[in-house]
């Protein structure tokens, strides 16, 4: 997912992006309790007034970070959807979700998807600050789930595949023995194969 190029981004957008990057650094290095507007301004090398112009409160800053994560994930999925080598087959959005979960991300091109090990934990901790903020990511996941079952894959299979893909993303984010090297690609291929396997509907599973 590519951000606006340096030529097209406005100075205000560049400053805003750097403030969000600084927020990630502060939380990763000092912990969420030490996240203050003053700390972010120092980390970004801007004045407190410059920060307040973009983010008048800490909650507004965290909200912007979460919204950026959601927008970047939407772009990552759209990119993989467009690249799908077999667009005629059912499950195109599901495959896009899996490939986005395994995609190598350049931290210089992403504000949130390139978070390193440990940084993701700090980022997700921000969701607990306010139930409304947690609701943002819950709403996004509800939307993604509907998208994954919209093009021919049964809901049970789509859900299981999503859980597997999410597991990779969070294992890498938290450093929980994630697969590496060729093994990582083999795991991705296996999950993609699951997405093409005949699934069982909720009715079949319950016997209703």
């Amino acid at each position: 997912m590519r951000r606006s190029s340096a030529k097209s981004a406005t100075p205000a957008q560049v400053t805003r992006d750097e403030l969000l990057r600084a927020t990630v650094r502060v939380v990763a290095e000092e912990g969420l309790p030490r996240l203050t507007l003053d700390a972010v301004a120092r980390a970004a090398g801007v004045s407190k007034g410059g920060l307040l112009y973009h983010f008048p409160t800490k909650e507004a800053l965290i909200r912007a970070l979460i919204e950026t994560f959601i927008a970047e994930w939407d772009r990552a999925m759209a990119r993989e959807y467009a690249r799908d080598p077999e667009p005629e087959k059912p499950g195109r959005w599901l495959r896009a979700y899996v490939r986005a979960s395994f995609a190598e991300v350049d931290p210089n091109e992403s504000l949130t998807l390139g978070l390193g090990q440990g940084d993701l934990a700090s980022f997700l901790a921000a969701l607990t600050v306010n139930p409304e903020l947690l609701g943002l990511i819950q709403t996004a996941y509800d939307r993604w789930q509907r998208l994954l079952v919209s093009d021919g894959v049964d809901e049970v299979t789509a859900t299981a595949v999503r859980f597997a893909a999410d597991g990779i993303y969070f294992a890498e984010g938290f450093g929980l023995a994630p697969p590496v090297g060729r093994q990582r690609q083999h795991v991705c291929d296996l999950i993609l194969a699951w997405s093409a396997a005949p699934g069982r509907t909720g009715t079949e599973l319950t016997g209703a």
Side-chain angles (χ1 to χ4, degrees):
M1 66 302 305
R2 300 269 176 182
R3 292 188 297 128
S4 299
S5 67
K7 292 182 179 179
S8 60
T10 65
Q13 183 63 48
V14 171
T15 300
R16 185 180 187 278
D17 285 356
E18 182 51 41
L19 287 168
L20 292 176
R21 291 181 187 277
T23 302
V24 172
R25 292 197 300 271
V26 170
V27 174
E29 295 171 4
E30 302 183 29
L32 187 64
R34 292 183 176 272
L35 176 63
T36 65
L37 296 181
D38 286 329
V40 172
R42 285 195 301 271
V46 304
S47 67
K48 178 74 171 291
L51 183 150
L52 293 175
Y53 173 80
H54 295 278
F55 305 110
T57 66
K58 185 168 74 171
E59 181 177 297
L61 186 62
I62 296 174
R63 173 182 287 272
L65 198 61
I66 295 170
E67 290 172 342
T68 299
F69 168 80
I70 293 170
E72 289 189 340
W73 188 256
D74 281 335
R75 288 195 294 273
M77 285 184 61
R79 178 197 62 203
E80 298 299 337
Y81 182 88
R83 291 178 176 178
D84 192 285
E86 299 177 294
E88 73 286 348
K89 291 180 58 176
R92 188 175 176 184
W93 276 117
L94 185 58
R95 293 190 297 275
Y97 190 93
V98 173
R99 291 190 173 107
S101 299
F102 280 84
E104 297 289 346
V105 179
D106 184 344
N108 294 319
E109 297 180 347
S110 169
L111 294 174
T112 63
L113 298 187
L115 293 177
Q117 292 185 0
D119 296 356
L120 179 62
S122 298
F123 170 70
L124 293 178
L127 299 179
T128 66
V129 173
N130 187 316
E132 183 179 348
L133 298 178
L134 179 59
L136 292 175
I137 200 72
Q138 290 173 330
T139 298
Y141 265 94
D142 286 343
R143 175 168 55 81
W144 293 330
Q145 174 70 9
R146 291 194 300 271
L147 195 61
L148 301 189
V149 300
S150 69
D151 60 354
V153 177
D154 71 274
E155 187 168 3
V156 171
T157 298
T159 301
V161 168
R162 177 173 69 82
F163 285 171
D166 285 345
I168 290 295
Y169 184 81
F170 289 112
E172 293 185 332
F174 287 93
L176 304 176
V180 297
R182 295 181 62 184
Q183 183 189 50
R184 187 176 189 273
Q185 184 58 51
H186 292 331
V187 172
C188 179
D189 292 341
L190 178 60
I191 296 176
L192 286 171
W194 291 342
S195 71
R200 300 179 66 187
T201 66
T203 298
E204 291 172 330
L205 290 172
T206 61

PDB file of all heavy atoms in Angstrom, residues 81 84-96 99 147-148 150-153 189 191-198:
ATOM      1  N   TYR A  81      -6.299  -7.991  -4.317  1.00  0.00           N
ATOM      2  CA  TYR A  81      -7.475  -8.366  -5.118  1.00  0.00           C
ATOM      3  C   TYR A  81      -7.203  -8.107  -6.597  1.00  0.00           C
ATOM      4  O   TYR A  81      -7.502  -8.934  -7.461  1.00  0.00           O
ATOM      5  CB  TYR A  81      -8.685  -7.565  -4.639  1.00  0.00           C
ATOM      6  CG  TYR A  81      -9.980  -7.896  -5.345  1.00  0.00           C
ATOM      7  CD1 TYR A  81     -10.801  -8.928  -4.887  1.00  0.00           C
ATOM      8  CD2 TYR A  81     -10.408  -7.169  -6.457  1.00  0.00           C
ATOM      9  CE1 TYR A  81     -11.995  -9.235  -5.522  1.00  0.00           C
ATOM     10  CE2 TYR A  81     -11.596  -7.467  -7.096  1.00  0.00           C
ATOM     11  CZ  TYR A  81     -12.390  -8.501  -6.629  1.00  0.00           C
ATOM     12  OH  TYR A  81     -13.577  -8.794  -7.270  1.00  0.00           O
ATOM     13  N   ASP A  84      -4.805 -10.718  -8.226  1.00  0.00           N
ATOM     14  CA  ASP A  84      -5.162 -12.133  -8.152  1.00  0.00           C
ATOM     15  C   ASP A  84      -4.920 -12.817  -9.501  1.00  0.00           C
ATOM     16  O   ASP A  84      -5.434 -12.364 -10.526  1.00  0.00           O
ATOM     17  CB  ASP A  84      -6.625 -12.289  -7.745  1.00  0.00           C
ATOM     18  CG  ASP A  84      -6.958 -13.722  -7.379  1.00  0.00           C
ATOM     19  OD1 ASP A  84      -7.076 -14.561  -8.291  1.00  0.00           O
ATOM     20  OD2 ASP A  84      -7.093 -14.012  -6.177  1.00  0.00           O
ATOM     21  N   PRO A  85      -4.147 -13.914  -9.523  1.00  0.00           N
ATOM     22  CA  PRO A  85      -3.851 -14.571 -10.794  1.00  0.00           C
ATOM     23  C   PRO A  85      -5.006 -15.383 -11.359  1.00  0.00           C
ATOM     24  O   PRO A  85      -4.970 -15.779 -12.528  1.00  0.00           O
ATOM     25  CB  PRO A  85      -2.659 -15.478 -10.444  1.00  0.00           C
ATOM     26  CG  PRO A  85      -2.839 -15.769  -8.988  1.00  0.00           C
ATOM     27  CD  PRO A  85      -3.421 -14.517  -8.395  1.00  0.00           C
ATOM     28  N   GLU A  86      -6.013 -15.661 -10.543  1.00  0.00           N
ATOM     29  CA  GLU A  86      -7.174 -16.432 -11.002  1.00  0.00           C
ATOM     30  C   GLU A  86      -8.462 -15.705 -10.614  1.00  0.00           C
ATOM     31  O   GLU A  86      -9.250 -16.198  -9.805  1.00  0.00           O
ATOM     32  CB  GLU A  86      -7.150 -17.832 -10.395  1.00  0.00           C
ATOM     33  CG  GLU A  86      -5.919 -18.648 -10.776  1.00  0.00           C
ATOM     34  CD  GLU A  86      -5.897 -20.005 -10.100  1.00  0.00           C
ATOM     35  OE1 GLU A  86      -5.780 -20.045  -8.869  1.00  0.00           O
ATOM     36  OE2 GLU A  86      -6.024 -21.008 -10.819  1.00  0.00           O
ATOM     37  N   PRO A  87      -8.695 -14.540 -11.184  1.00  0.00           N
ATOM     38  CA  PRO A  87      -9.833 -13.714 -10.761  1.00  0.00           C
ATOM     39  C   PRO A  87     -11.192 -14.347 -11.025  1.00  0.00           C
ATOM     40  O   PRO A  87     -12.188 -13.921 -10.424  1.00  0.00           O
ATOM     41  CB  PRO A  87      -9.655 -12.430 -11.582  1.00  0.00           C
ATOM     42  CG  PRO A  87      -8.853 -12.849 -12.769  1.00  0.00           C
ATOM     43  CD  PRO A  87      -7.926 -13.906 -12.275  1.00  0.00           C
ATOM     44  N   GLU A  88     -11.234 -15.351 -11.904  1.00  0.00           N
ATOM     45  CA  GLU A  88     -12.512 -15.983 -12.215  1.00  0.00           C
ATOM     46  C   GLU A  88     -12.947 -16.984 -11.157  1.00  0.00           C
ATOM     47  O   GLU A  88     -14.123 -17.383 -11.105  1.00  0.00           O
ATOM     48  CB  GLU A  88     -12.439 -16.675 -13.589  1.00  0.00           C
ATOM     49  CG  GLU A  88     -11.623 -17.947 -13.639  1.00  0.00           C
ATOM     50  CD  GLU A  88     -10.105 -17.717 -13.576  1.00  0.00           C
ATOM     51  OE1 GLU A  88      -9.679 -16.554 -13.719  1.00  0.00           O
ATOM     52  OE2 GLU A  88      -9.368 -18.700 -13.372  1.00  0.00           O
ATOM     53  N   LYS A  89     -12.045 -17.397 -10.286  1.00  0.00           N
ATOM     54  CA  LYS A  89     -12.360 -18.396  -9.276  1.00  0.00           C
ATOM     55  C   LYS A  89     -13.049 -17.760  -8.078  1.00  0.00           C
ATOM     56  O   LYS A  89     -12.762 -16.611  -7.718  1.00  0.00           O
ATOM     57  CB  LYS A  89     -11.076 -19.095  -8.813  1.00  0.00           C
ATOM     58  CG  LYS A  89     -10.436 -19.989  -9.849  1.00  0.00           C
ATOM     59  CD  LYS A  89      -9.170 -20.634  -9.311  1.00  0.00           C
ATOM     60  CE  LYS A  89      -9.425 -21.451  -8.073  1.00  0.00           C
ATOM     61  NZ  LYS A  89      -8.202 -22.156  -7.601  1.00  0.00           N
ATOM     62  N   PRO A  90     -13.973 -18.496  -7.428  1.00  0.00           N
ATOM     63  CA  PRO A  90     -14.596 -17.975  -6.204  1.00  0.00           C
ATOM     64  C   PRO A  90     -13.533 -17.712  -5.140  1.00  0.00           C
ATOM     65  O   PRO A  90     -12.464 -18.308  -5.137  1.00  0.00           O
ATOM     66  CB  PRO A  90     -15.528 -19.117  -5.774  1.00  0.00           C
ATOM     67  CG  PRO A  90     -15.762 -19.919  -7.013  1.00  0.00           C
ATOM     68  CD  PRO A  90     -14.490 -19.829  -7.800  1.00  0.00           C
ATOM     69  N   GLY A  91     -13.835 -16.803  -4.236  1.00  0.00           N
ATOM     70  CA  GLY A  91     -12.953 -16.541  -3.116  1.00  0.00           C
ATOM     71  C   GLY A  91     -11.867 -15.525  -3.391  1.00  0.00           C
ATOM     72  O   GLY A  91     -10.849 -15.497  -2.694  1.00  0.00           O
ATOM     73  N   ARG A  92     -12.082 -14.646  -4.355  1.00  0.00           N
ATOM     74  CA  ARG A  92     -11.036 -13.682  -4.704  1.00  0.00           C
ATOM     75  C   ARG A  92     -10.724 -12.747  -3.535  1.00  0.00           C
ATOM     76  O   ARG A  92      -9.551 -12.454  -3.259  1.00  0.00           O
ATOM     77  CB  ARG A  92     -11.474 -12.883  -5.934  1.00  0.00           C
ATOM     78  CG  ARG A  92     -10.391 -11.984  -6.510  1.00  0.00           C
ATOM     79  CD  ARG A  92     -10.883 -11.336  -7.795  1.00  0.00           C
ATOM     80  NE  ARG A  92      -9.892 -10.394  -8.330  1.00  0.00           N
ATOM     81  CZ  ARG A  92     -10.102  -9.637  -9.401  1.00  0.00           C
ATOM     82  NH1 ARG A  92     -11.255  -9.716 -10.056  1.00  0.00           N
ATOM     83  NH2 ARG A  92      -9.151  -8.810  -9.812  1.00  0.00           N
ATOM     84  N   TRP A  93     -11.752 -12.279  -2.825  1.00  0.00           N
ATOM     85  CA  TRP A  93     -11.501 -11.396  -1.680  1.00  0.00           C
ATOM     86  C   TRP A  93     -10.827 -12.150  -0.544  1.00  0.00           C
ATOM     87  O   TRP A  93      -9.981 -11.602   0.167  1.00  0.00           O
ATOM     88  CB  TRP A  93     -12.801 -10.763  -1.194  1.00  0.00           C
ATOM     89  CG  TRP A  93     -13.208  -9.546  -1.942  1.00  0.00           C
ATOM     90  CD1 TRP A  93     -14.325  -9.357  -2.699  1.00  0.00           C
ATOM     91  CD2 TRP A  93     -12.483  -8.301  -2.013  1.00  0.00           C
ATOM     92  NE1 TRP A  93     -14.338  -8.093  -3.249  1.00  0.00           N
ATOM     93  CE2 TRP A  93     -13.230  -7.422  -2.835  1.00  0.00           C
ATOM     94  CE3 TRP A  93     -11.285  -7.852  -1.461  1.00  0.00           C
ATOM     95  CZ2 TRP A  93     -12.816  -6.119  -3.112  1.00  0.00           C
ATOM     96  CZ3 TRP A  93     -10.868  -6.558  -1.740  1.00  0.00           C
ATOM     97  CH2 TRP A  93     -11.632  -5.703  -2.547  1.00  0.00           C
ATOM     98  N   LEU A  94     -11.178 -13.410  -0.359  1.00  0.00           N
ATOM     99  CA  LEU A  94     -10.564 -14.203   0.700  1.00  0.00           C
ATOM    100  C   LEU A  94      -9.076 -14.402   0.415  1.00  0.00           C
ATOM    101  O   LEU A  94      -8.239 -14.266   1.310  1.00  0.00           O
ATOM    102  CB  LEU A  94     -11.270 -15.556   0.820  1.00  0.00           C
ATOM    103  CG  LEU A  94     -10.821 -16.466   1.966  1.00  0.00           C
ATOM    104  CD1 LEU A  94     -10.981 -15.778   3.307  1.00  0.00           C
ATOM    105  CD2 LEU A  94     -11.599 -17.780   1.932  1.00  0.00           C
ATOM    106  N   ARG A  95      -8.743 -14.691  -0.829  1.00  0.00           N
ATOM    107  CA  ARG A  95      -7.333 -14.832  -1.190  1.00  0.00           C
ATOM    108  C   ARG A  95      -6.593 -13.509  -1.011  1.00  0.00           C
ATOM    109  O   ARG A  95      -5.427 -13.483  -0.582  1.00  0.00           O
ATOM    110  CB  ARG A  95      -7.205 -15.323  -2.636  1.00  0.00           C
ATOM    111  CG  ARG A  95      -7.713 -16.742  -2.851  1.00  0.00           C
ATOM    112  CD  ARG A  95      -7.351 -17.280  -4.216  1.00  0.00           C
ATOM    113  NE  ARG A  95      -7.947 -16.540  -5.310  1.00  0.00           N
ATOM    114  CZ  ARG A  95      -9.179 -16.752  -5.797  1.00  0.00           C
ATOM    115  NH1 ARG A  95      -9.946 -17.684  -5.245  1.00  0.00           N
ATOM    116  NH2 ARG A  95      -9.653 -16.038  -6.797  1.00  0.00           N
ATOM    117  N   ALA A  96      -7.268 -12.413  -1.330  1.00  0.00           N
ATOM    118  CA  ALA A  96      -6.643 -11.099  -1.143  1.00  0.00           C
ATOM    119  C   ALA A  96      -6.339 -10.857   0.330  1.00  0.00           C
ATOM    120  O   ALA A  96      -5.282 -10.301   0.680  1.00  0.00           O
ATOM    121  CB  ALA A  96      -7.559  -9.999  -1.689  1.00  0.00           C
ATOM    122  N   ARG A  99      -3.249 -13.007   1.284  1.00  0.00           N
ATOM    123  CA  ARG A  99      -2.000 -12.476   0.717  1.00  0.00           C
ATOM    124  C   ARG A  99      -1.605 -11.150   1.372  1.00  0.00           C
ATOM    125  O   ARG A  99      -0.422 -10.878   1.558  1.00  0.00           O
ATOM    126  CB  ARG A  99      -2.146 -12.327  -0.794  1.00  0.00           C
ATOM    127  CG  ARG A  99      -2.227 -13.670  -1.536  1.00  0.00           C
ATOM    128  CD  ARG A  99      -2.131 -13.504  -3.038  1.00  0.00           C
ATOM    129  NE  ARG A  99      -2.043 -14.803  -3.705  1.00  0.00           N
ATOM    130  CZ  ARG A  99      -3.032 -15.367  -4.398  1.00  0.00           C
ATOM    131  NH1 ARG A  99      -4.178 -14.722  -4.553  1.00  0.00           N
ATOM    132  NH2 ARG A  99      -2.876 -16.548  -4.966  1.00  0.00           N
ATOM    133  N   LEU A 147     -17.197  -9.069   3.354  1.00  0.00           N
ATOM    134  CA  LEU A 147     -16.551  -9.047   2.047  1.00  0.00           C
ATOM    135  C   LEU A 147     -15.995 -10.422   1.699  1.00  0.00           C
ATOM    136  O   LEU A 147     -16.110 -10.885   0.547  1.00  0.00           O
ATOM    137  CB  LEU A 147     -15.425  -8.008   2.061  1.00  0.00           C
ATOM    138  CG  LEU A 147     -14.839  -7.568   0.718  1.00  0.00           C
ATOM    139  CD1 LEU A 147     -15.906  -6.928  -0.160  1.00  0.00           C
ATOM    140  CD2 LEU A 147     -13.683  -6.598   0.950  1.00  0.00           C
ATOM    141  N   LEU A 148     -15.420 -11.111   2.671  1.00  0.00           N
ATOM    142  CA  LEU A 148     -14.783 -12.400   2.417  1.00  0.00           C
ATOM    143  C   LEU A 148     -15.777 -13.489   2.038  1.00  0.00           C
ATOM    144  O   LEU A 148     -15.395 -14.471   1.388  1.00  0.00           O
ATOM    145  CB  LEU A 148     -13.978 -12.843   3.647  1.00  0.00           C
ATOM    146  CG  LEU A 148     -12.854 -11.907   4.110  1.00  0.00           C
ATOM    147  CD1 LEU A 148     -12.023 -12.574   5.182  1.00  0.00           C
ATOM    148  CD2 LEU A 148     -11.986 -11.454   2.964  1.00  0.00           C
ATOM    149  N   SER A 150     -18.516 -12.828   0.289  1.00  0.00           N
ATOM    150  CA  SER A 150     -19.388 -12.239  -0.739  1.00  0.00           C
ATOM    151  C   SER A 150     -19.171 -12.800  -2.132  1.00  0.00           C
ATOM    152  O   SER A 150     -19.946 -12.493  -3.036  1.00  0.00           O
ATOM    153  CB  SER A 150     -19.169 -10.715  -0.782  1.00  0.00           C
ATOM    154  OG  SER A 150     -17.874 -10.405  -1.288  1.00  0.00           O
ATOM    155  N   ASP A 151     -18.128 -13.619  -2.327  1.00  0.00           N
ATOM    156  CA  ASP A 151     -17.854 -14.037  -3.708  1.00  0.00           C
ATOM    157  C   ASP A 151     -17.609 -15.532  -3.849  1.00  0.00           C
ATOM    158  O   ASP A 151     -16.680 -15.971  -4.504  1.00  0.00           O
ATOM    159  CB  ASP A 151     -16.692 -13.236  -4.301  1.00  0.00           C
ATOM    160  CG  ASP A 151     -15.383 -13.402  -3.532  1.00  0.00           C
ATOM    161  OD1 ASP A 151     -15.403 -14.054  -2.468  1.00  0.00           O
ATOM    162  OD2 ASP A 151     -14.356 -12.904  -4.013  1.00  0.00           O
ATOM    163  N   GLY A 152     -18.465 -16.330  -3.179  1.00  0.00           N
ATOM    164  CA  GLY A 152     -18.508 -17.741  -3.525  1.00  0.00           C
ATOM    165  C   GLY A 152     -17.930 -18.730  -2.541  1.00  0.00           C
ATOM    166  O   GLY A 152     -18.029 -19.934  -2.765  1.00  0.00           O
ATOM    167  N   VAL A 153     -17.329 -18.282  -1.450  1.00  0.00           N
ATOM    168  CA  VAL A 153     -16.801 -19.207  -0.447  1.00  0.00           C
ATOM    169  C   VAL A 153     -17.754 -19.252   0.741  1.00  0.00           C
ATOM    170  O   VAL A 153     -18.232 -18.205   1.190  1.00  0.00           O
ATOM    171  CB  VAL A 153     -15.396 -18.766   0.025  1.00  0.00           C
ATOM    172  CG1 VAL A 153     -14.888 -19.685   1.122  1.00  0.00           C
ATOM    173  CG2 VAL A 153     -14.428 -18.770  -1.146  1.00  0.00           C
ATOM    174  N   ASP A 189       0.890 -20.687   1.257  1.00  0.00           N
ATOM    175  CA  ASP A 189       0.328 -21.531   0.196  1.00  0.00           C
ATOM    176  C   ASP A 189      -0.716 -22.498   0.757  1.00  0.00           C
ATOM    177  O   ASP A 189      -1.751 -22.757   0.124  1.00  0.00           O
ATOM    178  CB  ASP A 189       1.439 -22.306  -0.503  1.00  0.00           C
ATOM    179  CG  ASP A 189       2.373 -21.412  -1.298  1.00  0.00           C
ATOM    180  OD1 ASP A 189       1.978 -20.273  -1.618  1.00  0.00           O
ATOM    181  OD2 ASP A 189       3.500 -21.855  -1.596  1.00  0.00           O
ATOM    182  N   ILE A 191      -2.612 -22.089   3.476  1.00  0.00           N
ATOM    183  CA  ILE A 191      -3.834 -21.366   3.831  1.00  0.00           C
ATOM    184  C   ILE A 191      -4.614 -20.999   2.572  1.00  0.00           C
ATOM    185  O   ILE A 191      -5.851 -21.077   2.554  1.00  0.00           O
ATOM    186  CB  ILE A 191      -3.498 -20.116   4.660  1.00  0.00           C
ATOM    187  CG1 ILE A 191      -2.866 -20.524   5.997  1.00  0.00           C
ATOM    188  CG2 ILE A 191      -4.753 -19.287   4.921  1.00  0.00           C
ATOM    189  CD1 ILE A 191      -2.416 -19.362   6.856  1.00  0.00           C
ATOM    190  N   LEU A 192      -3.924 -20.618   1.521  1.00  0.00           N
ATOM    191  CA  LEU A 192      -4.600 -20.328   0.256  1.00  0.00           C
ATOM    192  C   LEU A 192      -5.291 -21.583  -0.278  1.00  0.00           C
ATOM    193  O   LEU A 192      -6.396 -21.505  -0.837  1.00  0.00           O
ATOM    194  CB  LEU A 192      -3.603 -19.793  -0.770  1.00  0.00           C
ATOM    195  CG  LEU A 192      -3.123 -18.362  -0.549  1.00  0.00           C
ATOM    196  CD1 LEU A 192      -1.977 -18.036  -1.500  1.00  0.00           C
ATOM    197  CD2 LEU A 192      -4.269 -17.364  -0.753  1.00  0.00           C
ATOM    198  N   ALA A 193      -4.661 -22.741  -0.113  1.00  0.00           N
ATOM    199  CA  ALA A 193      -5.283 -23.993  -0.556  1.00  0.00           C
ATOM    200  C   ALA A 193      -6.549 -24.274   0.238  1.00  0.00           C
ATOM    201  O   ALA A 193      -7.551 -24.761  -0.314  1.00  0.00           O
ATOM    202  CB  ALA A 193      -4.291 -25.150  -0.415  1.00  0.00           C
ATOM    203  N   TRP A 194      -6.525 -23.974   1.528  1.00  0.00           N
ATOM    204  CA  TRP A 194      -7.728 -24.150   2.337  1.00  0.00           C
ATOM    205  C   TRP A 194      -8.876 -23.300   1.803  1.00  0.00           C
ATOM    206  O   TRP A 194     -10.036 -23.707   1.843  1.00  0.00           O
ATOM    207  CB  TRP A 194      -7.461 -23.760   3.782  1.00  0.00           C
ATOM    208  CG  TRP A 194      -6.545 -24.676   4.523  1.00  0.00           C
ATOM    209  CD1 TRP A 194      -6.198 -25.955   4.184  1.00  0.00           C
ATOM    210  CD2 TRP A 194      -5.839 -24.379   5.730  1.00  0.00           C
ATOM    211  NE1 TRP A 194      -5.328 -26.474   5.091  1.00  0.00           N
ATOM    212  CE2 TRP A 194      -5.085 -25.544   6.055  1.00  0.00           C
ATOM    213  CE3 TRP A 194      -5.774 -23.276   6.557  1.00  0.00           C
ATOM    214  CZ2 TRP A 194      -4.282 -25.602   7.189  1.00  0.00           C
ATOM    215  CZ3 TRP A 194      -4.979 -23.325   7.688  1.00  0.00           C
ATOM    216  CH2 TRP A 194      -4.239 -24.475   8.006  1.00  0.00           C
ATOM    217  N   SER A 195      -8.548 -22.111   1.320  1.00  0.00           N
ATOM    218  CA  SER A 195      -9.607 -21.217   0.843  1.00  0.00           C
ATOM    219  C   SER A 195     -10.309 -21.772  -0.382  1.00  0.00           C
ATOM    220  O   SER A 195     -11.434 -21.367  -0.685  1.00  0.00           O
ATOM    221  CB  SER A 195      -9.025 -19.831   0.520  1.00  0.00           C
ATOM    222  OG  SER A 195      -8.224 -19.873  -0.653  1.00  0.00           O
ATOM    223  N   ALA A 196      -9.656 -22.698  -1.072  1.00  0.00           N
ATOM    224  CA  ALA A 196     -10.255 -23.279  -2.277  1.00  0.00           C
ATOM    225  C   ALA A 196     -10.915 -24.622  -2.005  1.00  0.00           C
ATOM    226  O   ALA A 196     -11.552 -25.196  -2.884  1.00  0.00           O
ATOM    227  CB  ALA A 196      -9.191 -23.457  -3.354  1.00  0.00           C
ATOM    228  N   ALA A 197     -10.759 -25.138  -0.779  1.00  0.00           N
ATOM    229  CA  ALA A 197     -11.319 -26.445  -0.460  1.00  0.00           C
ATOM    230  C   ALA A 197     -12.818 -26.354  -0.236  1.00  0.00           C
ATOM    231  O   ALA A 197     -13.324 -25.335   0.248  1.00  0.00           O
ATOM    232  CB  ALA A 197     -10.648 -26.996   0.797  1.00  0.00           C
ATOM    233  N   PRO A 198     -13.563 -27.411  -0.602  1.00  0.00           N
ATOM    234  CA  PRO A 198     -15.012 -27.411  -0.334  1.00  0.00           C
ATOM    235  C   PRO A 198     -15.254 -27.257   1.154  1.00  0.00           C
ATOM    236  O   PRO A 198     -14.646 -27.954   1.968  1.00  0.00           O
ATOM    237  CB  PRO A 198     -15.464 -28.794  -0.825  1.00  0.00           C
ATOM    238  CG  PRO A 198     -14.405 -29.219  -1.791  1.00  0.00           C
ATOM    239  CD  PRO A 198     -13.122 -28.651  -1.259  1.00  0.00           C
TER     240      PRO A 198
END
